[in-house]
Amino acid sequence: TLTLAETFAVPANGDNYTQTLACSGADDIDLTDGELTIAPGDEDITCTFTNARISNAVSLTKAWVNGADDDAVGLFIAGGSGATDGSSTVGGTTTDAEATALAGDTVTLTEAFTQGGGNYDTSLACTDGNDDPVAVAQVDATSYEIVMPADAVECTFTNTRIEVELTLAKDWVNAVAGEAVDVTVTRGAT
């Protein structure tokens, strides 16, 4: 009995593949345990490990925190296959961007404002199929990258509108004694 095995130079890379082992020329065809039993009648035996890279879905969605009405973004995925673009509008609908990517590939996730924008803090968070975080690296102001794990990935861009504090003060110069005014602020449409 022989034990057949393969070891990746970087062991963690093995998680990106499904592995099968098949041998021809042997009576022993059950190789699920990685062991090959050579029988007296066996002659030339050829065994092959086949590694198929795992492919999974990646999706990109949008969350708004205190978003301005009708601000909108396009959502994009590059680096995978079969990508469909998404979009999101404050007070409207969100359609996720979706693609399929091979484990180990770099995938770029982008949002681009199609209306409004500029007054938001933006973050991107990704999780795999086990709800474990997936590392995210910022490429530029609107794009981030992930290395696709061997699981499906869900990513969410969150835009939090930046709040500004306004202080309105009154200062008198050469005022008449007893003079009084009311100071008010009225919010407009934006």
Side-chain angles (χ1 to χ4, degrees):
T1 299
L2 302 173
T3 300
L4 307 175
E6 73 172 351
T7 304
F8 279 81
V10 178
N13 289 350
D15 294 341
N16 295 336
Y17 296 87
T18 58
Q19 179 190 77
T20 57
L21 172 62
C23 295
S24 62
D27 287 338
D28 182 3
I29 58 169
D30 180 13
L31 302 171
T32 56
D33 59 0
E35 293 184 355
L36 172 67
T37 302
I38 299 175
D42 290 344
E43 292 188 15
D44 291 337
I45 300 171
T46 301
C47 296
T48 304
F49 282 104
T50 301
N51 294 351
R53 200 145 50 123
I54 296 170
S55 176
N56 272 303
V58 57
S59 64
L60 176 60
T61 194
K62 181 72 179 160
W64 298 94
V65 178
N66 196 28
D69 286 343
D70 299 322
D71 276 2
V73 295
L75 303 170
F76 310 96
I77 299 174
S81 62
T84 57
D85 296 342
S87 62
S88 181
T89 303
V90 175
T93 60
T94 297
T95 302
D96 295 349
E98 298 178 339
T100 301
L102 295 170
D105 279 356
T106 298
V107 176
T108 303
L109 307 156
T110 303
E111 76 165 355
F113 273 87
T114 56
Q115 183 170 322
N119 293 323
Y120 293 91
D121 287 326
T122 300
S123 64
L124 178 69
C126 298
T127 56
D128 67 14
N130 298 314
D131 286 329
D132 292 326
V134 174
V136 174
Q138 188 165 2
V139 176
D140 58 35
T142 61
S143 297
Y144 296 76
E145 288 180 341
I146 63 169
V147 175
M148 191 68 183
D151 289 313
V153 174
E154 294 181 0
C155 297
T156 303
F157 270 113
T158 300
N159 282 15
T160 303
R161 197 155 128 197
I162 298 169
E163 294 182 8
V164 177
E165 182 176 316
L166 170 66
T167 303
L168 180 60
K170 173 69 178 145
D171 190 18
W172 293 94
V173 177
N174 296 325
V176 174
E179 198 73 75
V181 297
D182 288 327
V183 178
T184 60
V185 174
T186 304
R187 181 180 172 159
T190 59

